[in-house]
Amino acid sequence: MSLPKIDPTSTVTWNKLQAHFQSVKEIQMKDLFAQDKERANKLTVQWEDFYVDYSKNRLTEETLSLLYQLAKEVKLDEAIQSFFSGEIINETENRAVLHTALRANKSDQICVDEKDIIPNITEVKKQIERFSAQIINGSKKGFTGKAFTDVVNIGIGGSDLGPSMVVGSLEYYKNHLNTHFVSNIDGDHVNEIIKKLNPETTLFVIVSKTFSTQETLTNANTIKDWFLSKNSNANQETVSKHFVAVSTNIEKAKNFGIDESNIFPIWDWVGGRFSLWSAVGLSISLSVGFENFTKLLLGANKMDAHFKSEAFDKNIPVILALISVWYNNFFNSETEAVIPYSQYLNRFSIYLQQSFMESNGKSVDRNGKPISYQTGSVIWGQPGTNSQHAFFQLIHQGTKLIPADFIGFTESLHGNNIHQDRLISNFIAQTEALLNGKTKEDVLKELEAQSLSSEEIKKLMSFKVFEGNKPTNTIFIKKLTPESLGKLIAMYEHKIFVQGIVWNIFSFDQFGVELGKQLAGKILKEVKNNTFVNHDASTLNLLQYYKNLT
Ligand code: F6P
């Protein structure tokens, strides 16, 4: 069965939502809280170690009920079934989408082409477990007999962002191995990493689903050449001790010089941006140990079960997705901020940028027709409190409506309560400030207390007022652990899925990244041959400028 192909704007509920929007668009959240003392309790989901408060949004219970109806009308429940049961929901690439199978229970049965894929997944997990243990405990050694000290993940996009985000987020749980990530084709990136490495004690993990990505192969070859040049004892044979691969393309990995026993397979039903749960997460397992990697998967599995079975009005990913649709399609918000109040989650929004924007940055619907409504939002953000001193001014007093997710953890990992109380005070204060703003009356009182003249007060007044009424969701989690991180990542994955279903788009292909790649290939040949054909005047000038200076 394929995914439903319903234009959301053609539904009865969409029209109702449009009419409803006209009546609530000026609504003040402050008034909603004043009118209903139970609002915060009603619009909060507590699940496991998650407390998700979505009450600070410009919506009423009627809005929510219409959004749930919309989800029903576009047949979200059927789509969820199709997704989890391995149907070909990535129709444009003729593939199932089964990153959820990677974290399923061993006893589950999930079939692709009528073959249960769980035994293969379990086998590869054992391979990851064995290999990680041997590297971590030092029993597997480099070509001069020394234990490994460093791991370099060579990959890009989903083969870099997921692992690097998780390794960074779980730094507290890491072992003695130093993990590095090389992704950019910029030679300065790889050279800066190489500077820090000892070839005798470094393990290189080449991660490429296709094993044909220009950036990854260029970096891998540069590193291999450096490795071979560094020591007279290093040769093609020793390459196999130091280089391992994660790929669907076993032949190409073998041709690179990798021993077949050191190739960790993945499958075409794992999308790159959802692949950290597969062997693509090898550098995670190496950095924090297989047990922690398993806990990450377990967390995601729990979120999968929640998403699959919970009613829409208690279903965290569904609620967050529909609220986001409300702002995107009715308030015309273009962007959404994700602000984790944890420095560990420094790379979280960068990771989400790929998963959201590569998935839902589409303008053709599932019927192949151009879309007349907005789809994927621009996702961005940085950890608080740093971001408070960077871009929060615009969220508070700018002209744009930017819904924001605030993610925080009640416990700090190092147990420094002086910092933690201050961090969490900021975390909560910001959402309160965004909700309430600051009225003229408050500003007046504040300025009067500073004994300013009435002239000065008049001059400053309008600049000091905060409109407030800025929407936020608060995702308050007990503690940053591998398991809670797994839940959080899976929560956003499912938000992406729900939005893709509502917008009637295919979320699991990414043809939009191809054109630039093709042109870069053509231009590279021209740069080498110094002949440029078929370019616009601006591009031609740029190419000639480059050639003249190099
Ligand atoms: O950016 C496009 C993309 O195909 C991503 O979806 C993917 O994660 C990345 O390139 C890397 O691809 P590969 O793992 O095949 O090297």
Side-chain angles (χ1 to χ4, degrees):
M1 215 170 60
S2 58
L3 288 176
K5 295 186 170 60
I6 301 165
D7 175 347
T9 61
S10 71
T11 61
V12 175
T13 323
W14 191 275
N15 289 321
K16 285 191 188 165
L17 274 163
Q18 271 177 326
H20 172 72
F21 174 69
Q22 293 308 322
S23 65
V24 296
K25 64 182 180 194
E26 305 296 345
I27 216 158
Q28 291 292 314
M29 292 189 279
K30 266 194 279 192
D31 296 338
L32 296 173
F33 278 102
Q35 284 154 18
D36 182 359
K37 301 287 172 229
E38 277 305 302
R39 179 177 171 90
N41 293 332
K42 284 188 205 159
L43 305 191
T44 292
V45 178
Q46 288 194 54
W47 170 78
E48 296 245 331
D49 48 349
F50 276 46
Y51 182 102
V52 180
D53 178 349
Y54 57 100
S55 62
K56 291 188 181 94
N57 278 298
R58 290 164 72 164
L59 45 77
T60 63
E61 286 183 66
E62 190 188 347
T63 319
L64 285 167
S65 129
L66 285 169
L67 288 168
Y68 300 136
Q69 274 176 44
L70 174 67
K72 292 217 166 78
E73 219 181 323
V74 297
K75 301 201 163 81
L76 175 62
D77 25 23
E78 269 179 33
I80 294 174
Q81 287 311 318
S82 303
F83 168 32
F84 279 92
S85 56
E87 285 164 26
I88 307 290
I89 63 165
N90 177 359
E91 284 177 42
T92 48
E93 295 181 319
N94 195 29
R95 289 172 186 166
V97 176
L98 278 173
H99 44 279
T100 51
L102 299 163
R103 56 228 193 186
N105 302 319
K106 259 202 240 163
S107 53
D108 290 348
Q109 204 196 35
I110 300 169
C111 293
V112 170
D113 295 332
E114 293 171 19
K115 194 174 166 250
D116 185 7
I117 56 173
I118 298 293
N120 267 349
I121 294 173
T122 310
E123 199 44 50
V124 176
K125 279 188 193 161
K126 279 191 199 140
Q127 192 188 357
I128 297 172
E129 180 176 20
R130 252 189 332 264
F131 186 78
S132 307
Q134 288 167 338
I135 298 292
I136 296 167
N137 69 25
S139 57
K140 219 182 217 332
K141 298 189 190 327
F143 72 99
T144 55
K146 292 184 186 158
F148 289 99
T149 55
D150 290 72
V151 175
V152 181
N153 186 96
I154 309 166
I156 195 164
S159 299
D160 164 73
L161 290 164
S164 67
M165 180 276 289
V166 174
V167 167
S169 301
L170 297 181
E171 191 183 350
Y172 180 76
Y173 302 87
K174 88 180 260 303
N175 52 37
H176 63 283
L177 295 170
N178 302 309
T179 316
H180 314 264
F181 290 86
V182 178
S183 52
N184 202 318
I185 200 154
D186 177 358
D188 292 338
H189 188 191
V190 64
N191 281 297
E192 283 300 329
I193 303 283
I194 282 174
K195 260 178 19 188
K196 302 176 193 150
L197 304 174
N198 174 356
E200 294 175 53
T201 57
T202 305
L203 176 76
F204 299 97
V205 184
I206 306 173
V207 187
S208 178
K209 189 174 159 186
T210 52
F211 221 85
S212 60
T213 304
Q214 188 197 42
E215 290 90 338
T216 304
L217 291 188
T218 308
N219 281 324
N221 280 311
T222 299
I223 286 176
K224 186 164 84 170
D225 291 346
W226 165 82
F227 176 82
L228 291 170
S229 72
K230 258 332 200 195
N231 196 312
S232 51
N233 293 331
N235 55 37
Q236 283 297 343
E237 249 177 73
T238 58
V239 165
S240 67
K241 283 195 172 214
H242 285 257
F243 287 77
V244 303
V246 179
S247 190
T248 52
N249 200 330
I250 312 292
E251 277 317 302
K252 279 199 168 175
K254 276 187 355 200
N255 290 342
F256 181 90
I258 293 171
D259 199 289
E260 194 158 359
S261 63
N262 286 335
I263 301 174
F264 297 76
I266 50 170
W267 306 275
D268 69 0
W269 41 261
V270 187
R273 53 194 173 273
F274 303 102
S275 62
L276 68 90
W277 320 99
S278 69
V280 169
L282 181 61
S283 55
I284 303 173
S285 176
L286 288 164
S287 171
V288 297
F290 184 74
E291 206 182 311
N292 282 321
F293 183 59
T294 308
K295 288 182 188 160
L296 182 85
L297 267 55
L298 174 71
N301 177 258
K302 288 187 181 175
M303 183 55 82
D304 294 343
H306 167 83
F307 175 56
K308 204 157 58 160
S309 60
E310 204 54 81
F312 289 167
D313 61 353
K314 307 231 160 24
N315 192 317
I316 301 170
V318 172
I319 293 168
L320 295 181
L322 293 174
I323 291 175
S324 165
V325 167
W326 176 236
Y327 291 118
N328 186 59
N329 296 89
F330 296 89
F331 284 90
N332 295 326
S333 287
E334 296 260 310
T335 82
E336 265 174 50
V338 179
I339 321 287
Y341 275 68
S342 163
Q343 195 55 32
Y344 289 116
L345 297 197
N346 199 16
R347 294 185 59 77
F348 196 61
S349 62
I350 302 174
Y351 160 78
L352 289 183
Q353 280 177 336
Q354 187 204 15
S355 52
F356 272 83
M357 291 158 79
E358 209 165 78
S359 299
N360 286 343
K362 310 284 165 66
S363 51
V364 171
D365 73 11
R366 286 198 289 269
N367 296 303
K369 300 254 159 56
I371 280 170
S372 61
Y373 46 89
Q374 288 292 313
T375 60
S377 310
V378 176
I379 305 290
W380 60 285
Q382 276 295 300
T385 58
N386 293 10
S387 50
Q388 292 174 200
H389 297 269
F391 54 75
F392 266 53
Q393 165 64 36
L394 188 145
I395 302 185
H396 281 290
Q397 284 192 313
T399 52
K400 296 179 170 55
L401 181 67
I402 302 176
D405 282 358
F406 279 66
I407 302 166
F409 299 91
T410 59
E411 276 178 48
S412 92
L413 295 181
H414 286 275
N416 189 329
N417 290 333
I418 295 177
H419 283 260
Q420 180 67 3
D421 286 349
R422 289 175 189 189
L423 176 74
I424 297 304
S425 303
N426 274 280
F427 170 64
I428 296 174
Q430 285 297 329
T431 65
E432 188 174 38
L434 288 163
L435 162 70
N436 291 320
K438 200 193 257 182
T439 60
K440 273 189 186 155
E441 293 70 40
D442 291 339
V443 176
L444 186 62
K445 267 192 222 144
E446 200 176 275
L447 294 178
E448 279 171 352
Q450 291 168 23
S451 326
L452 296 179
S453 69
S454 55
E455 194 65 3
E456 283 168 319
I457 291 179
K458 211 170 143 209
K459 209 167 131 195
L460 279 176
M461 185 59 125
S462 55
F463 300 104
K464 296 240 172 189
V465 169
F466 286 53
E467 256 177 36
N469 214 24
K470 314 282 190 207
T472 59
N473 295 306
T474 298
I475 299 142
F476 215 176
I477 304 168
K478 212 157 172 292
K479 188 175 168 182
L480 176 56
T481 62
E483 188 178 320
S484 66
L485 182 67
K487 289 174 186 164
L488 184 69
I489 301 169
M491 179 191 91
Y492 279 110
E493 285 182 347
H494 296 323
K495 176 177 169 184
I496 293 167
F497 177 82
V498 173
Q499 291 185 310
I501 295 303
V502 173
W503 290 325
N504 194 26
I505 52 178
F506 286 120
S507 298
F508 298 103
D509 58 25
Q510 58 285 317
F511 299 120
V513 295
E514 294 306 324
L515 178 61
K517 280 192 206 169
Q518 283 164 5
L519 272 184
K522 170 180 180 282
I523 287 180
L524 178 61
K525 280 193 199 122
E526 294 179 351
V527 166
K528 281 186 188 151
N529 298 333
N530 210 2
T531 45
F532 303 111
V533 280
N534 265 341
H535 295 288
D536 59 86
S538 157
T539 307
L540 195 60
N541 279 351
L542 291 167
L543 287 166
Q544 275 160 354
Y545 179 76
Y546 175 66
K547 276 312 274 189
N548 289 341
L549 290 182
T550 53

